[in-house]
Each structure stands twice: as structure tokens, then as C-alpha cells.
Amino acid sequence: MAVHTPAHSALGGLLSYASLQPLAPGTLVRVPLGTREVLGVVWEAPASEPGVPPAQLRAIAGVLAGLPPLNAHWRALVAFAARYYQRSLGEVALAALPAQLRTLGPEQMARRLRRPAAAGTDTDATPLIALSTEQESARAEIDSKNGPFLLFGSTGSGKTEVYLRCVQDLLLAAPAAQALVMVPEINLTPQLEERFVARFGAGQVVSLHSGMTNPQRLKSWLAAHSGQARIVLGTRMAVFASMPGLGLIVVDEEHDASYKQQEGARYSARDLAVWRARACGAKVILGSATPSLESWHASRPPSEGDPEGGRYQRLEMPSRIGAAALPRVRRVDMGQQPRRAVFSAPLLAAITERVQRGEQCMVLLNRRGYAPVLHCQDCDWKSDCPHCSAHQVFHKIDRSLRCHHCGYAQRVPRACPACGSPDIAPMGRGTEQLEEHLAGLLEGVSRQGGGPVRIARIDADSTRAAGALQSQLAQVHAGEVDVLVGTQMIAKGHDFRRVSLVAAVQPDGALFSSDFRAPERLFALLMQAAGRAGRDAAWMAERGTPCEMWVQSHHPKHPVYEALRRHDYAAFAAQQLTEREQAGMPPFAFQALVRADARTQEVAQGFLAAAANAAREAALPGVEHISLYPPIPLAVQRVAGVERAQMLVESASRPALQHFLAAWQPLLHALRADPAHKGLVRWLVDVDPLAI
């Protein structure tokens, strides 16, 4: 039986229970665990494990009758995820099920299943648009070959239409087939759902993401599990959806870091999608204009020095639909601008001209709030968070200081808390200040048709209220916004038809980061942002001017910006992969992080050092192929009063790393119980980490 046992408990494996009737593997049951009654999944007993006498077993409390068992493919996916990401099987299995399902008893579930399913209102199918030559070629390749496929298409090349046609081909070919389509963030699901519902009807499409209520998620899960819903749209959690007829998985924007879970079992939904498709005989399409370097390397074509090439098949769609041109990239050297300038004179003039012609502009700054920190000019006091080794961000709109790590908030002081000076001022800029500053610069400008320029801001603060994001996006699409200011939330996936200019005002911070993935993330963000401009070829042709992407930088000749100027992802990827191969970094090496959280930094690092010594002394399998680096604090080493440290584990062999981590688990559990590490709060293993 797989049940969700407490983290780091000695009950990490399968548990045995007595049942008066034989139960098929995958059956959902209620079982006692300590003083509680919890949901369990019947699992196959390991062949090597001796049976327990029935008299010593506790009996199951009830069976959730009426639900078909979770099939063997689903159980294999959960077992693989638990094994690969070093978590207990019960934790992964139960976390993959809807929260409300974990609380319903047999009688409640029976009543729930007796309710008639809401009839889907199938709409008239939208007329199919003609595919471009590149789209038709990609569709034909996906139809005739097994994949996995990397659909490398520029922004605006029509990747979504290829997904729609491939799903349509699947559903027509097999009456019970199902398709799973994943997007990286919740805010991208409404527009995708709208397109799928318009094509296939509401009765066949359900969504699965954390923004839904528990009853909504259970309803969608049951529809997918029963086969009633043939298309499931969702975020990373949807990779575990029970879909007995699964025949196709689409992972849109496959490069996005949001596919990596950052709590509990730290799985990559993209990687699990590839594994799941292969295990159940489905096809998988990974789509992106800026693929992850791992996927790009895995799709490399055969060459003289590498006759086999990668295991993915690369499909390219470099052209935009309707002969729309990619934006011209213009770089501004901020070293040649006035010292405190936020917007260079050429960029401000370009924004003014576009607004006066009735076009929309988009300004990207990946930092929310008004300013990153408040600062005292007299004593150098800064608005540090009392619970974290980070600053509290100044939010002018509600006069608050807020920590974006632990959530601690307080009112802005009238004077410096340290010296009493009233001379405290914001340092740096966030989207809130950028919006205010831009409004001042455009105060005397009239938009087309008369009236002041309308500026809107979209970030995690402005979209906190329910429905706020959808309302703001609707205003942009309706042309009620002239300039949109925002964080990375506005850079991905949105089909803004009237945006003709995109500007990145302070992108340099990622160029010299200690994280080796920072240039890859910056290039992807800027390419995605650039892709919001000029998406409607006919509308841009009427305007008579090309769309533009402006980058303000103190290092305009940096290779990242040079590749961006040419829209040359292939050259950027080649340069990055060469550097990574020389440095022995992924995808040419495999990594895991062991992290320890404790009351003091000494305890956290002491636990990690002891774990490394124990591994060497025990001569664990694969240790000779493993590099264990010294423990160090995290970049933000204290969050909510807890100190955090990490240790990098690296190997050139994925199997060697996996064998080592599996053998290391018992030692880590034993060390946690050692009184020498009193004060340790928790430890965890992060396989294939995205940030170090």
C-alpha cells in the first residue's frame, strides 16, 4: 500500500494492510495510519519482500468503489519519479492525486460519483486555417515518426496550430485516445483553453492547475481518469493526471523553469513527460522558440564526429505566420546616456511616436515593487528583512515594506529606525516606480484620437486579486492600453496583436551572475519578449513601419545581445554548449544538490560535511565517479529565520549518480537522528537542479 507518510520518517516504503477481499493494484482505499485515516493506493508487493502474517496487520477502512483502478502506466510513472527524484513512493503517489480525493471517504465518493456529469456544450468547430509549408511539414513528421520531437519554432510561427492539428489527428484516429497539453504558468491556460474549446468543444476539454478550487480539480481529474475528457490542459502538476487513453503529450515553452517543482518532490514535468510518453507508447512534442540547452543538445543532428546524434528529432519552423517579420533589435549603450537616465532619449522618442500612431508598446523590467530597498543617506541603514538575509522591497502603492521571500510586511517608517534621520529614499527601481516614471515622461503626449497616454502594469502585485490578470489582459487586447509595463509575466505566450515595440530597460544583471544558467534564462526571456512585437502581419503592414525590440545595456556588445540582434538562437546555443562542455557542466554532466535547513549556518553545513564524510567512509556504490563539493550557504542564506546551506554532487554518469544517491539515503536518515546535528530542521535532495 502506498500512503503519504511523514517526511524523513522510517515509513518511507510500502505499508501492508489486511483486506477481506482481493484488491487490484491501483485501487483507492482508506486506511488507518497512526491515529488518522488516510487515502492509500493499492500497490504490487515487491517480490523480494517477505509476507507479513495477516493477524499482525491493520485492516483497511474502506474501498472507494466506483473508481477504476489507477493503471499500470500511471503507477510506473509514479514509481520512476519517486526513485529518480529520491522521494518516497507514497509521497509522490498521493501528492499526484487531487487534494479533495485525499479527504473523501467511500460514502462521500459514492455520492460524488452518483451526481450526473455536467453536459459539455460542444460548440461549432472553428473553420480550419490553412497550414504553412513549415507547419504542414512538422505535422507530417510527427504523424509518421515516433519522436520525441523538439518543435523549434520562432515566436509567431504557429506552434499552437500544430499542436491543435496533432491533437485532432489523434482523436480522429482512435475513439478512446487522450491528449495532454502543458503550459508553464497558470496565466497562459485561459487563452489556450479558449482555442481548444473553440476547436473541440467544451465537453472534451478540462484544465488542471493549482489556481482551481479543490472541487474543480477533482471534477477535472475524474473526467480525465474516466476517459470522458479527451484533452487535458494544465501546468506541471498535470503530468501526473490519470489518463488511461494517453496518446500524445505536448509541452509548450518547454524551456521554462516553471516546469521544475520547487517544493516536496522536486521533479521536472518536462522530463517526466518524455519518460511517460516513452513508457506508455505515446508521442511527445516539446515546443519552444528558445529550447533548453539540454533539449537542444538532445536533438542534435548526426555528424561525422557524432554519427548517432541526439535522441530527439528536431523540427524547425523559422518563419512567422503571414510573412510577419521578426522585430529589429536596437541596442542602446547606457554608458553614453546621462548618468541617472532610466529611459534613453532615442527609446523615449520611439515609444512616443508609436503611441501617437495608435500602436502599443511593452516595457520589461523583471523586478516588481517600487524599489528593491529603502536606504538612509546618513547612516547607511537599509530595509533589511528581520527574518531573512534579504532586503524588504518598498511598495509605494500601499506604503509598505515587504519581503518577497518570507512575506513579512510592515509600514514604511517616517524616519530612519537606526538614526532617526528623515532622509530615507528608495534605491533601484521596480515595475511600480517604472510605471510612475514613464507616466511623468509621457505626461504631455497625446495618444491617437486624443487623450493622455494610458499605462498599465502587470506583475505579481497588480494581479493578486482573483480575475485581475484576465481583466488586464483583456484591456490590452482591446486596445485600451498604450504602454504595458511588467515583469516576465508579460513576456511569455501572450498574443498581443497591436504591440509593435518591446523594450528591456535593465537586463544586465543576469550577464555576470554566479549561476551558469543565467545567460540562457536571459536570452530566452528577451527572445520571448521580442516575440510579443509584430505578431499580426496584416496590421503591421498597414502601419508601414517595422516592429522593434529595444535593449538598454551598459554592455551592448555582449555575445548574448549580439545573438539576440540576429535572432540567432542556434549560434547562442552552440557558444553556450561549448563553454559548458569545457567546464563539465550539464548537459555534459549530471548534478544533484543536497540542501540542509537549520537553526544556525554551522549546523546546516556541519550536517552536509558529515554526510559527505559518511559517504566516502562507507564507499557507497558509484562514489568513485562522484564529485562532492564543500557545503556553502545559499545566495539568500536565511529565510524566515532558518539558515540554509547546500552541497553540490556531480558526476559524468547519470546511472552512477542515481546509484550513489539511492545508497546515500539511509545514511542521511541516520545522520538526521544523530544528536550531533541537533538544530537541523530538514534536509532534501534536488536532482537536476535549475539554480545553484
Side-chain angles (χ1 to χ4, degrees), residues 77-365:
L77 171 69
V78 167
F80 170 77
R83 185 169 63 250
Y84 186 83
Y85 293 105
Q86 305 297 314
R87 308 296 292 197
S88 73
L89 189 147
E91 176 192 6
V92 176
L94 275 298
L97 298 174
Q100 193 172 41
L101 188 62
R102 302 198 293 269
T103 63
L104 294 180
E107 297 80 10
Q108 294 167 307
M109 178 53 69
R111 287 197 300 270
R112 176 68 181 77
L113 292 174
R114 280 197 296 269
R115 295 178 194 166
T121 55
D122 285 351
T123 59
D124 295 331
T126 55
L128 298 181
I129 60 174
L131 296 182
S132 69
T133 304
E134 292 173 1
Q135 288 175 311
E136 193 58 68
S137 174
R139 177 191 181 191
E141 288 286 297
I142 294 167
D143 181 60
S144 61
K145 298 181 179 176
N146 293 326
F149 302 97
L150 175 65
L151 184 58
F152 172 49
S154 66
T155 52
S157 62
K159 294 186 290 296
T160 303
E161 185 61 32
V162 173
Y163 305 153
L164 286 161
R165 292 296 184 94
C166 289
V167 170
Q168 180 175 310
D169 293 342
L170 172 76
L171 301 192
L172 290 174
Q178 294 174 297
L180 170 63
V181 182
M182 294 197 296
V183 291
E185 294 186 5
I186 295 172
N187 63 52
L188 296 177
T189 54
Q191 65 180 25
L192 188 69
E193 184 172 9
E194 185 179 322
R195 290 193 64 175
F196 271 84
V197 167
R199 182 68 56 90
F200 300 103
Q204 303 208 62
V205 182
V206 297
S207 292
L208 271 176
H209 56 76
S210 58
M212 303 166 69
T213 65
N214 284 340
Q216 288 172 333
R217 283 166 64 178
L218 177 60
K219 181 180 178 182
S220 292
W221 186 89
L222 289 172
H225 179 60
S226 66
Q228 174 192 345
R230 302 190 67 191
I231 303 168
V232 174
L233 310 178
T235 51
R236 62 174 176 265
M237 63 181 295
V239 75
F240 287 110
S242 175
M243 302 177 68
L246 184 62
L248 174 68
I249 304 177
V250 174
V251 185
D252 192 27
E253 308 292 2
E254 67 86 31
H255 65 278
D256 200 287
S258 299
Y259 283 120
K260 185 75 156 71
Q261 171 74 12
Q262 294 299 335
E263 298 292 337
R266 300 193 167 204
Y267 62 87
S268 164
R270 178 198 65 205
D271 296 347
L272 286 181
V274 173
W275 190 94
R276 184 177 188 180
R278 183 182 63 203
C280 70
K283 294 186 180 183
V284 61
I285 306 170
L286 310 179
S288 178
T290 54
S292 65
L293 291 181
E294 284 81 2
S295 295
W296 185 257
H297 181 66
S299 68
R300 65 194 183 278
S303 63
E304 186 175 335
D306 183 13
E308 292 189 3
R311 63 189 186 280
Y312 296 176
Q313 183 177 353
R314 187 184 301 168
L315 309 174
E316 301 193 15
M317 298 198 311
S319 306
R320 281 185 145 185
I321 292 298
L326 288 167
R328 173 189 176 191
V329 177
R330 305 187 63 168
R331 296 168 292 174
V332 178
D333 186 351
M334 294 305 287
Q336 304 299 317
Q337 299 297 315
R339 188 177 171 203
R340 296 188 178 276
V342 180
F343 289 89
S344 63
L347 173 57
L348 187 61
I351 292 175
T352 301
E353 182 183 350
R354 299 276 178 173
V355 169
Q356 290 174 334
R357 288 209 305 261
E359 300 170 22
Q360 292 176 319
C361 301
M362 196 173 92
V363 180
L364 176 69
L365 176 64

Side-chain angles (χ1 to χ4, degrees), residues 331-482:
R331 296 168 292 174
V332 178
D333 186 351
M334 294 305 287
Q336 304 299 317
Q337 299 297 315
R339 188 177 171 203
R340 296 188 178 276
V342 180
F343 289 89
S344 63
L347 173 57
L348 187 61
I351 292 175
T352 301
E353 182 183 350
R354 299 276 178 173
V355 169
Q356 290 174 334
R357 288 209 305 261
E359 300 170 22
Q360 292 176 319
C361 301
M362 196 173 92
V363 180
L364 176 69
L365 176 64
N366 210 16
R367 182 187 292 137
R368 61 190 171 103
Y370 189 85
V373 62
L374 276 187
H375 173 244
C376 175
Q377 308 285 347
D378 293 340
C379 73
D380 206 33
W381 168 87
K382 293 182 177 66
S383 56
D384 294 331
C385 175
H387 308 296
C388 306
S389 53
H391 300 306
Q392 285 184 286
V393 176
F394 173 42
H395 291 259
K396 185 177 180 181
I397 195 166
D398 59 1
R399 299 295 297 174
S400 70
L401 293 173
R402 200 177 310 149
C403 177
H404 291 172
H405 296 279
C406 73
Y408 178 76
Q410 64 186 81
R411 299 292 296 171
V412 172
R414 293 181 179 275
C416 174
C419 71
S421 170
D423 194 13
I424 54 175
M427 288 180 63
R429 287 180 176 83
T431 49
E432 193 180 319
Q433 184 179 171
L434 197 69
E435 178 190 21
E436 178 185 282
H437 182 66
L438 188 58
L441 292 174
L442 298 177
E443 187 173 3
V445 177
S446 295
R447 56 185 304 275
Q448 188 181 54
V453 177
R454 299 169 299 187
I455 302 175
R457 171 171 53 90
I458 292 182
D459 56 28
D461 297 318
S462 69
T463 58
R464 189 169 290 135
L469 178 61
Q470 286 71 28
S471 173
Q472 288 178 293
L473 290 175
Q475 290 178 337
V476 178
H477 289 301
E480 297 171 9
V481 172
D482 301 309

